Coordinates of all heavy atoms in Angstrom, one line a residue:
M10 N 36.1 -84.7 -84.0 CA 37.5 -84.5 -83.9 C 38.2 -85.6 -84.7 O 37.7 -86.8 -84.7 CB 38.0 -84.5 -82.5 CG 37.2 -83.7 -81.6 SD 38.1 -82.5 -80.7 CE 36.7 -81.8 -79.9
S11 N 39.2 -85.3 -85.4 CA 39.8 -86.2 -86.4 C 40.7 -87.2 -85.7 O 41.3 -87.0 -84.7 CB 40.5 -85.5 -87.5 OG 41.7 -84.9 -87.0
D12 N 40.8 -88.4 -86.4 CA 41.8 -89.4 -86.0 C 43.2 -88.8 -86.2 O 44.1 -89.1 -85.4 CB 41.7 -90.6 -86.8 CG 40.4 -91.4 -86.5 OD1 39.9 -91.2 -85.4 OD2 40.0 -92.2 -87.4
K13 N 43.4 -87.9 -87.2 CA 44.8 -87.3 -87.4 C 45.1 -86.5 -86.2 O 46.3 -86.5 -85.8 CB 44.8 -86.5 -88.7 CG 44.8 -87.4 -89.9 CD 45.0 -86.5 -91.1 CE 45.1 -87.4 -92.4 NZ 45.4 -86.6 -93.6
A14 N 44.2 -85.7 -85.7 CA 44.5 -84.9 -84.5 C 44.9 -85.8 -83.3 O 45.8 -85.4 -82.6 CB 43.2 -84.0 -84.1
R15 N 44.2 -86.9 -83.1 CA 44.5 -87.8 -82.0 C 45.9 -88.4 -82.2 O 46.7 -88.4 -81.3 CB 43.5 -88.9 -81.9 CG 43.9 -90.0 -80.9 CD 44.2 -89.5 -79.6 NE 43.1 -89.1 -78.8 CZ 43.2 -88.6 -77.6 NH1 44.4 -88.4 -77.0 NH2 42.1 -88.2 -76.9
T16 N 46.3 -88.8 -83.4 CA 47.6 -89.3 -83.7 C 48.7 -88.3 -83.4 O 49.7 -88.6 -82.8 CB 47.7 -89.8 -85.1 OG1 46.7 -90.8 -85.3 CG2 49.0 -90.4 -85.5
L17 N 48.5 -87.1 -83.9 CA 49.4 -86.0 -83.6 C 49.5 -85.7 -82.2 O 50.6 -85.5 -81.6 CB 49.1 -84.7 -84.5 CG 50.0 -83.6 -84.3 CD1 51.4 -83.9 -84.7 CD2 49.5 -82.4 -85.2
F18 N 48.4 -85.6 -81.5 CA 48.4 -85.3 -80.0 C 49.2 -86.3 -79.3 O 50.1 -86.0 -78.5 CB 47.0 -85.2 -79.5 CG 46.9 -84.9 -78.1 CD1 46.8 -83.5 -77.7 CD2 46.9 -85.9 -77.1 CE1 46.6 -83.2 -76.3 CE2 46.8 -85.5 -75.7 CZ 46.7 -84.2 -75.4
D19 N 49.0 -87.6 -79.6 CA 49.7 -88.7 -78.9 C 51.2 -88.6 -79.2 O 52.0 -88.9 -78.3 CB 49.1 -90.0 -79.3 CG 47.7 -90.2 -78.7 OD1 47.3 -89.5 -77.8 OD2 47.0 -91.2 -79.2
A20 N 51.6 -88.2 -80.4 CA 53.0 -88.2 -80.8 C 53.7 -87.0 -80.0 O 54.9 -87.1 -79.7 CB 53.1 -88.0 -82.3
L21 N 52.9 -85.9 -79.8 CA 53.5 -84.8 -79.1 C 53.5 -84.9 -77.6 O 54.2 -84.2 -76.9 CB 52.7 -83.5 -79.5 CG 52.7 -83.1 -81.0 CD1 52.0 -81.9 -81.2 CD2 54.1 -83.0 -81.5
D22 N 52.7 -85.8 -77.1 CA 52.6 -86.0 -75.6 C 53.8 -86.9 -75.1 O 53.6 -88.1 -74.9 CB 51.2 -86.7 -75.3 CG 50.9 -86.8 -73.8 OD1 51.7 -86.2 -73.0 OD2 50.0 -87.5 -73.5
L23 N 54.9 -86.2 -75.0 CA 56.1 -86.9 -74.7 C 56.1 -87.7 -73.4 O 56.7 -88.8 -73.3 CB 57.3 -85.9 -74.7 CG 57.6 -85.2 -76.0 CD1 58.7 -84.2 -75.9 CD2 57.9 -86.2 -77.1
D24 N 55.4 -87.1 -72.4 CA 55.4 -87.8 -71.1 C 54.1 -88.7 -70.9 O 53.9 -89.3 -69.9 CB 55.5 -86.9 -69.9 CG 54.4 -85.9 -69.9 OD1 53.4 -86.0 -70.7 OD2 54.5 -85.0 -69.0
Q25 N 53.3 -88.7 -72.0 CA 52.1 -89.6 -72.1 C 51.2 -89.4 -70.9 O 50.6 -90.4 -70.3 CB 52.5 -91.1 -72.2 CG 53.3 -91.3 -73.5 CD 53.8 -92.7 -73.7 OE1 53.8 -93.5 -72.7 NE2 54.1 -93.1 -74.9
D26 N 51.0 -88.1 -70.5 CA 50.1 -87.9 -69.3 C 48.7 -87.4 -69.8 O 47.9 -87.1 -69.0 CB 50.7 -86.9 -68.4 CG 50.8 -85.5 -69.0 OD1 50.6 -85.3 -70.2 OD2 51.1 -84.5 -68.2
G27 N 48.5 -87.4 -71.1 CA 47.2 -87.0 -71.6 C 47.0 -85.5 -71.8 O 45.9 -85.1 -72.2
T28 N 48.0 -84.7 -71.6 CA 48.0 -83.3 -71.8 C 49.3 -82.8 -72.4 O 50.2 -83.6 -72.4 CB 47.8 -82.5 -70.5 OG1 48.9 -82.7 -69.6 CG2 46.5 -82.9 -69.7
L29 N 49.2 -81.6 -73.0 CA 50.4 -81.1 -73.6 C 50.8 -79.7 -73.0 O 49.9 -78.9 -72.7 CB 50.2 -80.8 -75.1 CG 49.8 -82.0 -76.0 CD1 49.5 -81.5 -77.4 CD2 51.0 -83.0 -76.0
T30 N 52.0 -79.6 -72.7 CA 52.5 -78.3 -72.2 C 53.2 -77.5 -73.4 O 53.5 -78.1 -74.4 CB 53.5 -78.4 -71.0 OG1 54.7 -79.1 -71.6 CG2 53.0 -79.2 -69.9
R31 N 53.4 -76.3 -73.2 CA 54.1 -75.5 -74.2 C 55.5 -76.0 -74.5 O 55.8 -76.2 -75.7 CB 54.2 -74.0 -73.7 CG 54.7 -73.0 -74.7 CD 54.8 -71.7 -74.0 NE 54.0 -70.7 -74.7 CZ 54.6 -69.8 -75.5 NH1 55.9 -69.8 -75.7 NH2 53.8 -69.0 -76.1
V32 N 56.2 -76.3 -73.5 CA 57.6 -76.8 -73.7 C 57.5 -78.2 -74.4 O 58.3 -78.5 -75.3 CB 58.3 -77.0 -72.3 CG1 59.6 -77.8 -72.5 CG2 58.6 -75.6 -71.7
E33 N 56.6 -79.0 -74.1 CA 56.4 -80.3 -74.7 C 56.1 -80.2 -76.2 O 56.7 -80.9 -77.0 CB 55.3 -81.1 -74.0 CG 55.2 -82.5 -74.1 CD 54.2 -83.2 -73.2 OE1 53.2 -82.5 -72.8 OE2 54.4 -84.3 -72.9
V34 N 55.2 -79.3 -76.5 CA 54.8 -79.1 -77.9 C 56.0 -78.6 -78.7 O 56.3 -79.1 -79.8 CB 53.6 -78.1 -78.1 CG1 53.4 -77.7 -79.5 CG2 52.4 -78.7 -77.5
I35 N 56.7 -77.6 -78.2 CA 57.9 -77.1 -78.9 C 59.0 -78.1 -79.1 O 59.5 -78.3 -80.2 CB 58.5 -75.8 -78.1 CG1 57.5 -74.7 -78.2 CG2 59.8 -75.4 -78.7 CD1 57.8 -73.5 -77.2
R36 N 59.3 -78.8 -78.0 CA 60.3 -79.9 -78.1 C 59.9 -81.0 -79.0 O 60.7 -81.5 -79.8 CB 60.6 -80.4 -76.7 CG 61.7 -81.5 -76.6 CD 62.0 -81.9 -75.2 NE 62.5 -83.2 -75.3 CZ 62.3 -84.2 -74.5 NH1 61.5 -84.0 -73.4 NH2 62.8 -85.4 -74.6
A37 N 58.7 -81.5 -78.9 CA 58.2 -82.6 -79.7 C 58.2 -82.2 -81.2 O 58.7 -83.0 -82.1 CB 56.9 -83.1 -79.3
L38 N 57.8 -81.0 -81.5 CA 57.8 -80.6 -82.9 C 59.2 -80.4 -83.5 O 59.5 -80.7 -84.6 CB 56.9 -79.4 -83.2 CG 55.4 -79.6 -83.1 CD1 54.6 -78.3 -83.1 CD2 55.0 -80.6 -84.2
R39 N 60.1 -79.9 -82.6 CA 61.5 -79.8 -83.0 C 62.1 -81.1 -83.3 O 62.8 -81.3 -84.3 CB 62.3 -79.1 -82.0 CG 63.7 -78.8 -82.4 CD 64.5 -78.2 -81.3 NE 63.9 -77.1 -80.5 CZ 63.8 -77.0 -79.2 NH1 64.4 -77.9 -78.5 NH2 63.2 -76.0 -78.6
E40 N 61.9 -82.1 -82.4 CA 62.5 -83.4 -82.6 C 61.8 -84.3 -83.5 O 62.4 -85.1 -84.2 CB 62.5 -84.1 -81.2 CG 63.5 -83.3 -80.2 CD 63.4 -83.9 -78.8 OE1 62.7 -84.9 -78.6 OE2 64.1 -83.3 -77.9
K41 N 60.4 -84.2 -83.6 CA 59.7 -85.2 -84.4 C 59.0 -84.6 -85.6 O 58.4 -85.4 -86.4 CB 58.6 -85.8 -83.5 CG 59.1 -86.6 -82.3 CD 57.9 -87.2 -81.6 CE 58.3 -88.1 -80.5 NZ 57.1 -88.8 -79.9
G42 N 58.9 -83.3 -85.7 CA 58.2 -82.7 -86.8 C 58.5 -83.2 -88.2 O 57.5 -83.6 -88.9
P43 N 59.7 -83.3 -88.6 CA 60.0 -83.8 -90.0 C 59.6 -85.2 -90.2 O 59.0 -85.6 -91.2 CB 61.5 -83.6 -90.1 CG 61.8 -82.5 -89.2 CD 60.9 -82.7 -88.0
T44 N 59.8 -86.1 -89.1 CA 59.4 -87.5 -89.2 C 57.8 -87.6 -89.3 O 57.3 -88.4 -90.1 CB 59.9 -88.3 -88.0 OG1 61.3 -88.2 -88.0 CG2 59.5 -89.7 -88.1
L45 N 57.1 -86.8 -88.5 CA 55.7 -86.8 -88.5 C 55.2 -86.3 -89.9 O 54.2 -86.9 -90.4 CB 55.1 -85.9 -87.4 CG 55.4 -86.4 -86.0 CD1 55.0 -85.4 -84.9 CD2 54.6 -87.7 -85.7
A46 N 55.8 -85.3 -90.4 CA 55.4 -84.9 -91.8 C 55.6 -85.9 -92.8 O 54.8 -86.2 -93.7 CB 56.1 -83.6 -92.1
A47 N 56.8 -86.6 -92.7 CA 57.1 -87.7 -93.7 C 56.1 -88.8 -93.6 O 55.8 -89.5 -94.6 CB 58.5 -88.2 -93.5
R48 N 55.6 -89.1 -92.4 CA 54.6 -90.2 -92.2 C 53.2 -89.7 -92.5 O 52.2 -90.5 -92.4 CB 54.6 -90.7 -90.8 CG 55.9 -91.5 -90.5 CD 55.9 -92.1 -89.1 NE 54.7 -92.1 -88.3 CZ 54.6 -91.8 -87.0 NH1 55.7 -91.5 -86.3 NH2 53.4 -91.8 -86.4
G49 N 53.0 -88.4 -92.8 CA 51.6 -87.9 -93.1 C 50.8 -87.5 -91.9 O 49.6 -87.3 -92.0
V50 N 51.4 -87.5 -90.7 CA 50.7 -87.2 -89.5 C 50.6 -85.7 -89.4 O 49.6 -85.2 -88.8 CB 51.5 -87.7 -88.3 CG1 50.8 -87.3 -87.0 CG2 51.6 -89.3 -88.4
L51 N 51.4 -84.9 -90.0 CA 51.5 -83.5 -89.9 C 51.8 -83.0 -91.3 O 52.6 -83.5 -92.0 CB 52.6 -83.1 -89.0 CG 52.9 -81.6 -88.8 CD1 51.8 -80.9 -88.0 CD2 54.2 -81.5 -88.0
P52 N 51.0 -81.9 -91.8 CA 51.3 -81.4 -93.1 C 52.8 -80.9 -93.1 O 53.2 -80.3 -92.2 CB 50.4 -80.2 -93.3 CG 49.3 -80.5 -92.3 CD 49.9 -81.2 -91.2
V53 N 53.4 -81.0 -94.3 CA 54.8 -80.5 -94.4 C 54.9 -79.1 -94.1 O 55.8 -78.6 -93.4 CB 55.4 -80.8 -95.8 CG1 56.7 -80.2 -96.0 CG2 55.4 -82.3 -96.1
W54 N 54.0 -78.3 -94.5 CA 54.0 -76.9 -94.2 C 53.7 -76.6 -92.8 O 53.9 -75.4 -92.3 CB 53.0 -76.1 -95.1 CG 51.6 -76.6 -95.1 CD1 51.0 -77.5 -95.9 CD2 50.6 -76.2 -94.1 NE1 49.7 -77.7 -95.5 CE2 49.4 -76.9 -94.4 CE3 50.6 -75.3 -93.0 CZ2 48.2 -76.8 -93.6 CZ3 49.4 -75.2 -92.3 CH2 48.3 -75.9 -92.6
G55 N 53.2 -77.6 -92.0 CA 53.0 -77.4 -90.6 C 54.2 -77.5 -89.7 O 54.2 -77.2 -88.5
V56 N 55.3 -77.9 -90.3 CA 56.6 -78.1 -89.6 C 57.3 -76.7 -89.7 O 57.7 -76.3 -90.7 CB 57.5 -79.2 -90.2 CG1 58.8 -79.3 -89.4 CG2 56.8 -80.5 -90.2
G57 N 57.4 -76.1 -88.5 CA 58.0 -74.8 -88.5 C 59.0 -74.8 -87.4 O 59.4 -75.8 -86.8
G58 N 59.4 -73.6 -87.0 CA 60.4 -73.4 -85.9 C 59.7 -73.4 -84.5 O 58.5 -73.6 -84.4
D59 N 60.5 -73.0 -83.5 CA 60.0 -73.0 -82.2 C 58.9 -71.9 -82.0 O 57.9 -72.1 -81.3 CB 61.1 -72.6 -81.2 CG 62.1 -73.8 -81.0 OD1 61.9 -74.9 -81.6 OD2 63.1 -73.6 -80.3
D60 N 59.0 -70.8 -82.7 CA 58.0 -69.7 -82.7 C 56.7 -70.2 -83.2 O 55.6 -69.9 -82.7 CB 58.5 -68.5 -83.4 CG 59.6 -67.8 -82.7 OD1 59.8 -68.0 -81.5 OD2 60.3 -67.0 -83.4
D61 N 56.7 -71.0 -84.3 CA 55.5 -71.6 -84.9 C 54.8 -72.6 -83.9 O 53.6 -72.6 -83.8 CB 55.8 -72.3 -86.2 CG 56.3 -71.3 -87.3 OD1 55.8 -70.2 -87.4 OD2 57.3 -71.7 -88.0
A62 N 55.6 -73.4 -83.3 CA 55.1 -74.3 -82.3 C 54.5 -73.6 -81.1 O 53.4 -74.0 -80.6 CB 56.2 -75.3 -81.8
A63 N 55.2 -72.6 -80.6 CA 54.6 -71.8 -79.5 C 53.3 -71.1 -79.9 O 52.4 -71.1 -79.1 CB 55.6 -70.7 -79.1
A64 N 53.2 -70.6 -81.1 CA 52.0 -70.0 -81.6 C 50.9 -71.0 -81.7 O 49.7 -70.6 -81.4 CB 52.3 -69.3 -83.0
L65 N 51.2 -72.2 -82.1 CA 50.1 -73.2 -82.2 C 49.6 -73.5 -80.8 O 48.4 -73.6 -80.6 CB 50.7 -74.5 -82.8 CG 49.8 -75.7 -82.8 CD1 48.6 -75.5 -83.7 CD2 50.6 -77.0 -83.2
F66 N 50.5 -73.6 -79.8 CA 50.1 -73.9 -78.5 C 49.3 -72.7 -77.9 O 48.2 -73.0 -77.4 CB 51.4 -74.1 -77.5 CG 51.0 -74.3 -76.1 CD1 50.8 -75.6 -75.7 CD2 50.8 -73.3 -75.2 CE1 50.4 -75.8 -74.4 CE2 50.4 -73.5 -73.9 CZ 50.2 -74.8 -73.5
D67 N 49.7 -71.5 -78.1 CA 49.0 -70.3 -77.6 C 47.6 -70.3 -78.2 O 46.6 -69.9 -77.5 CB 49.8 -69.1 -77.9 CG 51.0 -69.0 -77.1 OD1 51.2 -69.7 -76.1 OD2 51.9 -68.2 -77.5
A68 N 47.5 -70.6 -79.5 CA 46.1 -70.5 -80.2 C 45.2 -71.6 -79.6 O 44.0 -71.4 -79.5 CB 46.3 -70.7 -81.7
A69 N 45.8 -72.7 -79.2 CA 44.9 -73.8 -78.7 C 44.6 -73.7 -77.2 O 43.6 -74.2 -76.8 CB 45.7 -75.1 -78.9
D70 N 45.4 -72.9 -76.5 CA 45.2 -72.8 -75.0 C 44.0 -71.8 -74.7 O 44.3 -70.7 -74.2 CB 46.4 -72.4 -74.3 CG 46.3 -72.5 -72.8 OD1 45.4 -73.2 -72.3 OD2 47.2 -71.9 -72.1
Q71 N 42.8 -72.2 -75.0 CA 41.7 -71.3 -74.9 C 41.4 -70.9 -73.5 O 40.9 -69.8 -73.3 CB 40.4 -72.0 -75.5 CG 40.5 -72.2 -77.0 CD 40.6 -70.9 -77.8 OE1 39.8 -70.0 -77.6 NE2 41.6 -70.8 -78.7
N72 N 41.6 -71.7 -72.5 CA 41.3 -71.3 -71.2 C 42.4 -70.7 -70.4 O 42.3 -70.4 -69.2 CB 40.7 -72.5 -70.4 CG 41.6 -73.7 -70.2 OD1 42.8 -73.6 -70.6 ND2 41.1 -74.8 -69.7
G73 N 43.6 -70.7 -71.0 CA 44.8 -70.0 -70.5 C 45.4 -70.7 -69.3 O 46.2 -70.1 -68.5
D74 N 45.2 -72.0 -69.2 CA 45.8 -72.7 -68.0 C 47.1 -73.3 -68.3 O 47.7 -74.0 -67.5 CB 44.8 -73.9 -67.6 CG 44.7 -75.0 -68.6 OD1 45.2 -74.9 -69.7 OD2 44.0 -76.0 -68.2
R75 N 47.7 -73.0 -69.5 CA 49.0 -73.4 -69.9 C 49.2 -74.9 -70.1 O 50.3 -75.4 -70.0 CB 50.1 -72.8 -69.0 CG 50.1 -71.3 -69.1 CD 51.3 -70.8 -68.3 NE 50.8 -70.5 -67.0 CZ 51.5 -70.1 -66.0 NH1 52.8 -70.0 -66.2 NH2 51.0 -69.9 -64.8
V76 N 48.1 -75.6 -70.3 CA 48.1 -77.1 -70.5 C 47.0 -77.3 -71.6 O 45.9 -76.8 -71.5 CB 47.7 -77.9 -69.2 CG1 47.6 -79.3 -69.5 CG2 48.8 -77.6 -68.2
L77 N 47.3 -78.1 -72.6 CA 46.3 -78.4 -73.6 C 45.7 -79.8 -73.4 O 46.4 -80.8 -73.2 CB 46.9 -78.4 -75.0 CG 47.5 -77.1 -75.5 CD1 48.0 -77.4 -76.9 CD2 46.6 -76.0 -75.4
S78 N 44.4 -79.8 -73.4 CA 43.6 -81.0 -73.4 C 43.6 -81.5 -74.9 O 43.8 -80.7 -75.8 CB 42.2 -80.9 -72.8 OG 41.5 -80.0 -73.7
F79 N 43.2 -82.7 -75.1 CA 43.0 -83.1 -76.5 C 42.0 -82.3 -77.2 O 42.1 -81.9 -78.3 CB 42.6 -84.6 -76.5 CG 42.3 -85.1 -77.9 CD1 43.2 -85.1 -78.9 CD2 40.9 -85.3 -78.2 CE1 42.9 -85.4 -80.2 CE2 40.6 -85.7 -79.5 CZ 41.6 -85.7 -80.5
E80 N 40.9 -82.0 -76.5 CA 39.8 -81.2 -77.1 C 40.3 -79.8 -77.6 O 39.9 -79.4 -78.7 CB 38.6 -81.1 -76.2 CG 37.9 -82.4 -75.9 CD 38.6 -83.4 -75.0 OE1 39.6 -83.0 -74.2 OE2 38.3 -84.6 -75.0
E81 N 41.0 -79.2 -76.7 CA 41.6 -77.8 -77.1 C 42.5 -78.0 -78.3 O 42.4 -77.2 -79.3 CB 42.4 -77.2 -76.0 CG 41.6 -76.7 -74.8 CD 42.5 -76.2 -73.7 OE1 43.3 -76.9 -73.2 OE2 42.3 -75.0 -73.3
F82 N 43.4 -79.0 -78.3 CA 44.3 -79.2 -79.3 C 43.6 -79.5 -80.7 O 43.9 -78.9 -81.7 CB 45.3 -80.3 -78.9 CG 46.3 -80.7 -80.0 CD1 47.4 -79.9 -80.1 CD2 46.1 -81.8 -80.8 CE1 48.4 -80.2 -81.1 CE2 47.1 -82.1 -81.7 CZ 48.2 -81.3 -81.9
A83 N 42.7 -80.5 -80.6 CA 42.0 -80.9 -81.8 C 41.2 -79.8 -82.5 O 41.2 -79.7 -83.7 CB 41.1 -82.1 -81.5
A84 N 40.6 -78.9 -81.7 CA 39.8 -77.9 -82.2 C 40.7 -77.0 -83.1 O 40.2 -76.5 -84.2 CB 39.1 -77.1 -81.1
V85 N 41.9 -76.7 -82.7 CA 42.8 -75.8 -83.5 C 43.4 -76.6 -84.6 O 43.4 -76.1 -85.8 CB 43.9 -75.2 -82.5 CG1 44.9 -74.5 -83.4 CG2 43.2 -74.2 -81.6
V86 N 44.0 -77.7 -84.4 CA 44.7 -78.4 -85.5 C 43.7 -78.9 -86.6 O 44.0 -78.9 -87.8 CB 45.6 -79.6 -85.1 CG1 46.7 -79.0 -84.2 CG2 44.9 -80.7 -84.4
D87 N 42.5 -79.3 -86.2 CA 41.5 -79.7 -87.3 C 41.2 -78.6 -88.2 O 41.2 -78.7 -89.4 CB 40.3 -80.2 -86.6 CG 40.3 -81.7 -86.1 OD1 41.3 -82.4 -86.5 OD2 39.5 -82.1 -85.4
R88 N 41.1 -77.4 -87.6 CA 40.8 -76.2 -88.4 C 42.0 -75.7 -89.2 O 42.0 -75.4 -90.4 CB 40.2 -75.1 -87.5 CG 39.8 -73.8 -88.2 CD 39.2 -72.8 -87.2 NE 40.1 -72.4 -86.2 CZ 40.0 -72.7 -84.9 NH1 39.0 -73.4 -84.5 NH2 40.9 -72.2 -84.0
R89 N 43.1 -75.6 -88.5 CA 44.4 -75.1 -89.1 C 44.9 -76.0 -90.2 O 45.4 -75.5 -91.2 CB 45.4 -74.9 -88.0 CG 46.7 -74.3 -88.6 CD 47.7 -73.9 -87.5 NE 47.2 -72.7 -86.8 CZ 47.8 -72.1 -85.9 NH1 49.0 -72.5 -85.5 NH2 47.3 -71.0 -85.3
F90 N 44.8 -77.3 -90.0 CA 45.4 -78.2 -91.0 C 44.3 -78.7 -92.0 O 44.6 -79.6 -92.8 CB 46.1 -79.4 -90.3 CG 47.3 -78.9 -89.5 CD1 47.6 -79.6 -88.3 CD2 48.1 -77.8 -89.8 CE1 48.7 -79.2 -87.6 CE2 49.2 -77.4 -89.1 CZ 49.5 -78.1 -87.9
G91 N 43.1 -78.3 -91.8 CA 42.0 -78.7 -92.8 C 41.6 -80.1 -92.7 O 41.2 -80.7 -93.6
W92 N 41.6 -80.7 -91.4 CA 41.2 -82.1 -91.3 C 39.8 -82.2 -91.0 O 39.0 -81.9 -90.5 CB 42.0 -82.7 -90.1 CG 43.5 -82.8 -90.4 CD1 44.1 -82.9 -91.6 CD2 44.5 -82.9 -89.4 NE1 45.4 -82.9 -91.5 CE2 45.8 -83.0 -90.1 CE3 44.6 -82.9 -88.1 CZ2 47.0 -83.1 -89.5 CZ3 45.8 -83.0 -87.4 CH2 47.0 -83.1 -88.2

């Protein structure tokens, strides 16, 4: 798993509890997405709207528990963003 995935996960983990919820991912990408892209933490093309953030969450939530662990998140973003 990449260091970039860890950096992005930590940036999206607004309550710093070590997991991501759907609402947290949508809100964090809405509020921080452009800044994260400018810093190189997220590809510019990876910054989308709420539907894109929700789709990212849904793709990563492999066990359907509506919470993302770092491992679930990293598996998707490493592949999706080519890290």
Side-chain angles (χ1 to χ4, degrees):
M10 315 235 178
S11 72
D12 291 336
K13 286 185 177 187
R15 172 51 76 184
T16 300
L17 181 57
F18 183 90
D19 291 344
L21 300 180
D22 187 8
L23 298 176
D24 61 6
Q25 300 178 341
D26 69 350
T28 62
L29 299 175
T30 65
R31 184 181 239 261
V32 170
E33 198 170 26
V34 169
I35 292 168
R36 182 175 155 220
L38 285 173
R39 184 185 315 132
E40 294 173 4
K41 296 181 173 186
T44 301
L45 292 170
R48 289 185 11 222
V50 175
L51 176 68
V53 174
W54 57 266
V56 178
D59 290 357
D60 289 341
D61 297 318
L65 174 67
F66 180 91
D67 293 342
D70 188 18
Q71 293 297 309
N72 63 6
D74 67 353
R75 295 187 268 172
V76 176
L77 298 183
S78 67
F79 171 69
E80 291 76 16
E81 286 176 304
F82 179 79
V85 169
V86 298
D87 280 346
R88 184 176 59 248
R89 184 170 285 187
F90 298 147
W92 294 336

